[in-house]
Amino acid sequence: NAGVTQTPKFQVLKTGQSMTLQCAQDMNHEYMSWYRQDPGMGLRLIHYSVGAGITDQGEVPNGYNVSRSTTEDFPLRLLSAAPSQTSVYFCASSYSGEGRMTEAFFGQGTRLTVV
Amino acid sequence: AQRVTQPEKLLSVFKGAPVELKCNYSYSGSPELFWYVQYSRQRLQLLLRHISRESIKGFTADLNKGETSFHLKKPFAQEEDSAMYYCALSPTGFQKLVFGTGTRLLVSP
């Protein structure tokens, strides 16, 4: 199993450009989420999904869109990139054990720079 | 509101010394608590869950509900323990994590 795969690993965007960060998991996990990691701020939740067709906002959703058409894929779209979106982005998947969070499996991250 | 506080940005110790990485949380219910670790150039991975009460790589963490703390401890640090450590909370019934700001542990020979 590949686990959680993110593409691309690195990306440089110009302000105003749009792009999609891809995330795929092969563990048949119901839950997927996107976090951004910034120095001194830890990881913050952008959006998450509890199953195909169901998404919800996290702590910092502005400027990002998500959709979940299949269990495996959870792409993150930047609508109009801004320098404040320069960050490292992590996708994660997880499953519940008796309604409780068990373990989140993370991708290797995408380092995005907006100039 | 849920919040996780890790007061130390950097903890530097010598090999063989005891280590304690502090974590305090704010949550009105009974959260799930975790420690995640990120070694250099590796992806974030789970180290410990409070509910499993395991010892992983010599690390332990005890949930203290009175002090709302979940400190990570190891009696004798090794150089390979050098990494970024994140304490995280999952609100009851939710499949999402609230992370602290992280503590970088540096173990010197």
Side-chain angles (χ1 to χ4, degrees):
Chain A
N1 287 352
V4 179
T5 303
Q6 289 182 238
T7 55
K9 291 185 180 178
F10 302 95
Q11 183 71 49
V12 179
L13 287 179
K14 292 183 179 179
T15 297
Q17 286 185 316
S18 63
M19 81 159 294
T20 299
L21 308 186
Q22 301 291 345
C23 176
Q25 54 97 1
D26 61 0
M27 296 173 283
N28 202 32
H29 287 168
E30 294 176 76
Y31 309 101
M32 296 186 75
S33 45
W34 277 101
Y35 297 85
R36 58 177 289 173
Q37 183 185 42
D38 300 293
M41 303 190 75
L43 282 82
R44 292 178 293 168
L45 182 65
I46 305 172
H47 285 285
Y48 66 104
S49 170
V50 300
I54 307 170
T55 64
D56 204 351
Q57 295 182 350
E59 181 185 352
V60 287
N62 292 340
Y64 308 94
N65 269 1
V66 292
S67 60
R68 183 107 178 263
S69 56
T70 66
T71 300
E72 294 78 19
D73 300 299
F74 191 43
L76 178 72
R77 282 182 288 278
L78 279 71
L79 308 173
S80 177
S84 61
Q85 293 179 304
T86 294
S87 187
V88 181
Y89 291 85
F90 288 97
C91 178
S93 73
S94 62
Y95 63 97
S96 73
E98 300 178 345
R100 295 180 168 187
M101 184 147 194
T102 53
E103 176 180 357
F105 293 82
F106 285 83
Q108 288 189 307
T110 296
R111 186 174 295 274
L112 176 68
T113 302
V114 182
V115 298
Chain B
Q2 307 115 23
R3 186 165 57 240
V4 176
T5 303
Q6 294 180 251
E8 303 132 332
K9 287 186 178 179
L10 172 66
L11 187 61
S12 186
V13 302
F14 288 106
K15 176 182 174 181
V19 168
E20 183 180 48
L21 286 77
K22 292 184 168 52
C23 172
N24 288 89
Y25 67 91
S26 173
Y27 182 63
S28 57
S30 294
E32 301 292 327
L33 284 157
F34 306 83
W35 278 98
Y36 280 83
V37 60
Q38 189 174 29
Y39 300 103
S40 179
R41 299 180 183 178
Q42 293 188 28
R43 62 184 71 195
L44 202 63
Q45 58 187 281
L46 178 67
L47 182 63
L48 285 176
R49 293 176 63 199
H50 90 270
I51 198 168
S52 61
R53 303 182 67 83
E54 293 175 302
S55 173
I56 305 293
K57 298 184 179 182
F59 285 98
T60 58
D62 290 320
L63 176 61
N64 186 321
K65 292 186 177 181
E67 295 183 357
T68 59
S69 68
F70 188 55
H71 303 326
L72 184 67
K73 300 177 183 178
K74 185 170 183 177
F76 308 103
Q78 302 300 314
E79 289 180 67
E80 55 265 31
D81 296 329
S82 295
M84 193 73 176
Y85 290 81
Y86 290 98
C87 183
L89 171 159
S90 178
T92 305
F94 286 90
Q95 290 290 321
K96 59 180 181 178
L97 291 166
V98 177
F99 283 89
T101 51
T103 298
R104 181 167 298 282
L105 175 64
L106 182 61
V107 182
S108 303

XYZ file of all heavy atoms in Angstrom, chain A residues 2-49:
386
model
N 0.465 2.229 -0.805
C 1.218 3.469 -0.849
C 0.860 4.369 0.321
O 1.603 5.275 0.664
C 0.956 4.191 -2.164
N -0.309 4.180 0.929
C -0.739 5.043 2.029
C -1.392 6.289 1.479
O -2.297 6.230 0.663
N -0.903 7.463 1.898
C -1.421 8.745 1.443
C -0.387 9.373 0.517
O 0.761 9.557 0.912
C -1.713 9.685 2.631
C -2.234 11.027 2.123
C -2.697 9.042 3.592
N -0.815 9.681 -0.691
C 0.087 10.233 -1.699
C -0.359 11.633 -2.080
O -1.518 11.844 -2.445
C 0.092 9.345 -2.957
O 0.471 8.016 -2.588
C 1.087 9.877 -3.980
N 0.572 12.574 -1.997
C 0.299 13.958 -2.372
C 1.136 14.342 -3.578
O 2.312 13.990 -3.663
C 0.667 14.915 -1.227
C -0.236 14.869 -0.040
C 0.173 15.879 1.016
O 0.451 15.522 2.162
N 0.213 17.153 0.640
N 0.532 15.085 -4.470
C 1.271 15.663 -5.591
C 0.783 17.082 -5.839
O -0.404 17.385 -5.644
C 1.086 14.837 -6.879
O -0.315 14.707 -7.148
C 1.731 13.476 -6.770
N 1.679 18.006 -6.249
C 3.131 17.809 -6.363
C 3.822 17.933 -5.008
O 3.182 18.248 -4.020
C 3.527 18.971 -7.278
C 2.578 20.070 -6.907
C 1.269 19.380 -6.610
N 5.112 17.721 -4.953
C 5.877 17.903 -3.731
C 6.271 19.353 -3.547
O 6.389 19.845 -2.423
C 7.118 17.022 -3.726
C 6.808 15.541 -3.607
C 8.073 14.720 -3.494
C 7.735 13.239 -3.368
N 8.950 12.397 -3.292
N 6.527 20.037 -4.647
C 6.906 21.447 -4.607
C 6.138 22.197 -5.685
O 5.867 21.646 -6.754
C 8.411 21.631 -4.858
C 9.289 20.902 -3.894
C 9.779 19.645 -4.204
C 9.640 21.477 -2.684
C 10.592 18.963 -3.314
C 10.462 20.802 -1.789
C 10.934 19.540 -2.108
N 5.811 23.458 -5.406
C 5.119 24.266 -6.405
C 5.372 25.735 -6.111
O 5.331 26.153 -4.947
C 3.611 23.993 -6.379
C 2.817 24.739 -7.431
C 3.061 24.210 -8.824
O 3.007 23.017 -9.074
N 3.330 25.127 -9.744
N 5.633 26.495 -7.168
C 5.738 27.945 -7.063
C 4.627 28.544 -7.924
O 4.480 28.188 -9.089
C 7.107 28.462 -7.529
C 7.155 29.992 -7.431
C 8.227 27.852 -6.702
N 3.849 29.416 -7.329
C 2.746 30.066 -8.026
C 2.934 31.575 -8.008
O 3.551 32.115 -7.082
C 1.408 29.770 -7.351
C 0.788 28.389 -7.493
C -0.526 28.347 -6.716
C 0.552 28.046 -8.951
N 2.366 32.219 -8.996
C 2.307 33.677 -8.970
C 0.985 34.083 -8.313
O -0.024 33.356 -8.399
C 2.387 34.234 -10.381
C 3.739 34.014 -11.046
C 3.787 34.663 -12.421
C 5.152 34.457 -13.056
N 5.222 35.057 -14.420
N 1.011 35.242 -7.672
C -0.206 35.753 -7.051
C -1.333 35.794 -8.074
O -1.153 36.289 -9.192
C 0.050 37.159 -6.482
O 1.051 37.067 -5.456
C -1.217 37.734 -5.866
N -2.488 35.261 -7.659
C -3.652 35.261 -8.530
C -3.860 33.973 -9.315
O -4.966 33.732 -9.814
N -2.835 33.152 -9.415
C -2.984 31.891 -10.130
C -3.793 30.911 -9.282
O -3.862 31.018 -8.055
C -1.617 31.274 -10.441
C -0.870 31.967 -11.559
C 0.423 31.258 -11.925
O 1.187 30.838 -11.050
N 0.677 31.121 -13.211
N -4.379 29.946 -9.957
C -5.107 28.896 -9.263
C -4.390 27.569 -9.473
O -3.630 27.411 -10.443
C -6.540 28.804 -9.777
O -6.543 28.449 -11.147
N -4.598 26.648 -8.582
C -4.037 25.320 -8.746
C -4.753 24.345 -7.824
O -5.468 24.757 -6.899
C -2.538 25.295 -8.472
C -2.148 25.236 -7.024
S -0.470 24.612 -6.758
C -0.599 22.922 -7.309
N -4.536 23.062 -8.089
C -5.117 21.999 -7.278
C -4.009 21.121 -6.725
O -3.150 20.651 -7.475
C -6.081 21.138 -8.108
O -7.149 21.966 -8.589
C -6.670 20.019 -7.261
N -4.034 20.936 -5.410
C -3.141 19.976 -4.768
C -3.888 18.641 -4.695
O -5.017 18.584 -4.225
C -2.775 20.438 -3.351
C -2.226 21.852 -3.181
C -1.788 22.083 -1.747
C -1.071 22.106 -4.133
N -3.207 17.614 -5.156
C -3.854 16.311 -5.200
C -3.518 15.479 -3.967
O -2.408 15.561 -3.434
C -3.417 15.545 -6.462
C -3.723 16.242 -7.761
C -5.208 16.309 -8.072
O -6.027 15.604 -7.476
N -5.570 17.184 -9.003
N -4.491 14.688 -3.531
C -4.292 13.768 -2.415
C -5.079 12.497 -2.682
O -6.275 12.571 -3.012
C -4.752 14.391 -1.104
S -4.639 13.267 0.299
N -4.412 11.366 -2.555
C -5.071 10.081 -2.760
C -4.621 9.111 -1.671
O -3.467 9.131 -1.255
C -4.724 9.514 -4.130
N -5.562 8.289 -1.216
C -5.228 7.260 -0.229
C -5.807 5.919 -0.680
O -6.870 5.860 -1.295
C -5.748 7.650 1.169
C -7.213 7.979 1.259
C -8.110 6.842 1.732
O -7.639 5.740 2.041
N -9.403 7.110 1.810
N -5.080 4.854 -0.356
C -5.480 3.525 -0.795
C -5.797 2.608 0.379
O -5.661 1.380 0.274
C -4.391 2.918 -1.687
C -3.054 2.752 -0.970
O -2.967 3.106 0.231
O -2.099 2.287 -1.607
N -6.189 3.197 1.501
C -6.469 2.408 2.701
C -7.969 2.301 2.975
O -8.371 1.797 4.022
C -5.750 3.059 3.895
C -4.245 3.041 3.738
S -3.374 3.969 5.017
C -3.633 5.644 4.458
N -8.782 2.820 2.059
C -10.234 2.785 2.196
C -10.714 3.508 3.459
O -11.718 3.115 4.069
C -10.749 1.335 2.187
C -12.218 1.263 1.804
O -12.698 2.070 1.024
N -12.922 0.314 2.368
N -9.984 4.562 3.840
C -10.382 5.344 5.001
C -11.536 6.272 4.656
O -11.559 6.893 3.600
C -9.201 6.182 5.508
C -8.160 5.381 6.192
N -6.907 5.893 6.499
C -8.157 4.105 6.634
C -6.197 4.957 7.105
N -6.934 3.864 7.191
N -12.465 6.377 5.603
C -13.609 7.264 5.390
C -13.218 8.736 5.473
O -13.752 9.576 4.775
C -14.661 7.029 6.472
C -15.328 5.669 6.461
C -16.272 5.560 7.637
O -17.360 6.160 7.581
O -15.900 4.902 8.618
N -12.313 9.052 6.374
C -12.056 10.444 6.722
C -10.779 10.948 6.083
O -9.752 10.272 6.094
C -11.964 10.593 8.238
C -13.130 9.986 8.958
C -13.026 8.737 9.568
C -14.348 10.650 9.016
C -14.101 8.176 10.214
C -15.427 10.092 9.658
C -15.307 8.856 10.258
O -16.383 8.303 10.893
N -10.865 12.140 5.519
C -9.691 12.785 4.958
C -9.700 14.258 5.329
O -10.765 14.844 5.545
C -9.655 12.611 3.434
C -9.523 11.155 2.996
S -9.319 10.959 1.223
C -7.603 11.484 1.011
N -8.505 14.831 5.410
C -8.413 16.224 5.817
C -7.171 16.875 5.234
O -6.237 16.182 4.812
C -8.408 16.341 7.349
O -7.540 15.403 7.928
N -7.205 18.206 5.193
C -6.085 19.008 4.734
C -5.653 19.948 5.865
O -6.488 20.610 6.496
C -6.468 19.860 3.523
C -6.388 19.140 2.230
C -7.414 18.602 1.511
C -5.189 18.879 1.468
N -6.933 18.023 0.350
C -5.580 18.179 0.300
C -3.840 19.180 1.658
C -4.660 17.781 -0.676
C -2.925 18.777 0.696
C -3.336 18.083 -0.458
N -4.334 20.011 6.086
C -3.756 20.911 7.066
C -2.687 21.757 6.378
O -2.076 21.337 5.401
C -3.083 20.132 8.198
C -4.002 19.278 9.023
C -4.333 17.985 8.615
C -4.548 19.740 10.217
C -5.185 17.192 9.371
C -5.392 18.953 10.974
C -5.700 17.686 10.545
O -6.550 16.902 11.300
N -2.448 22.925 6.946
C -1.287 23.706 6.539
C -0.372 23.875 7.740
O -0.836 23.989 8.889
C -1.669 25.058 5.940
C -2.485 25.976 6.815
C -2.738 27.306 6.119
N -1.532 28.131 6.015
C -1.446 29.272 5.344
N -2.510 29.737 4.709
N -0.322 29.946 5.302
N 0.920 23.830 7.460
C 1.932 23.912 8.515
C 2.745 25.172 8.305
O 3.395 25.335 7.263
C 2.847 22.681 8.466
C 3.894 22.632 9.564
C 4.833 21.449 9.390
O 5.268 21.142 8.283
N 5.158 20.776 10.487
N 2.708 26.042 9.278
C 3.443 27.302 9.208
C 4.359 27.417 10.422
O 3.989 26.978 11.522
C 2.475 28.486 9.174
C 1.562 28.428 7.972
O 2.090 28.579 6.852
O 0.343 28.211 8.137
N 5.534 28.030 10.264
C 6.485 28.146 11.380
C 5.848 28.816 12.591
O 5.211 29.866 12.473
C 7.605 29.008 10.785
C 7.517 28.790 9.314
C 6.050 28.607 9.016
N 6.009 28.189 13.740
C 5.494 28.767 14.976
C 4.002 28.615 15.173
O 3.467 29.057 16.191
N 3.324 27.985 14.215
C 1.864 27.856 14.318
C 1.389 26.416 14.272
O 0.189 26.149 14.348
C 1.189 28.672 13.216
C 1.575 30.128 13.239
S 0.598 31.157 12.154
C -0.914 31.268 13.064
N 2.281 25.476 14.127
C 1.863 24.087 14.078
C 1.076 23.782 12.816
O 1.239 24.444 11.787
N 0.202 22.798 12.911
C -0.658 22.432 11.792
C -2.062 22.934 12.075
O -2.581 22.750 13.176
C -0.698 20.911 11.598
C 0.499 20.274 10.903
C 1.639 20.042 11.883
C 0.090 18.949 10.267
N -2.661 23.535 11.054
C -4.022 24.037 11.199
C -4.917 23.413 10.141
O -4.526 23.307 8.981
C -4.048 25.563 11.091
C -3.359 26.277 12.258
C -3.381 27.777 12.075
N -2.560 28.195 10.942
C -2.564 29.409 10.409
N -3.379 30.338 10.901
N -1.776 29.703 9.401
N -6.113 23.035 10.563
C -7.041 22.334 9.687
C -7.695 23.295 8.706
O -8.241 24.333 9.098
C -8.116 21.649 10.539
C -9.157 20.822 9.807
C -8.495 19.616 9.126
C -10.225 20.357 10.778
N -7.658 22.924 7.421
C -8.256 23.760 6.381
C -9.674 23.269 6.086
O -10.656 23.999 6.241
C -7.413 23.728 5.092
C -5.963 24.137 5.392
C -8.019 24.655 4.031
C -5.013 23.946 4.212
N -9.775 22.036 5.615
C -11.057 21.398 5.332
C -10.936 19.920 5.673
O -9.837 19.369 5.677
C -11.425 21.507 3.846
C -11.897 22.851 3.407
N -13.146 23.347 3.693
C -11.260 23.801 2.671
C -13.271 24.552 3.149
N -12.142 24.851 2.529
N -12.081 19.283 5.919
C -12.056 17.853 6.125
C -13.316 17.216 5.545
O -14.273 17.916 5.206
C -11.890 17.492 7.606
C -13.030 17.881 8.507
C -13.932 16.933 8.971
C -13.177 19.196 8.945
C -14.961 17.281 9.815
C -14.216 19.557 9.788
C -15.105 18.603 10.229
O -16.126 18.951 11.080
N -13.266 15.896 5.425
C -14.364 15.156 4.814
C -14.615 13.879 5.612
O -13.672 13.169 5.969
C -14.023 14.802 3.360
O -14.958 13.896 2.837
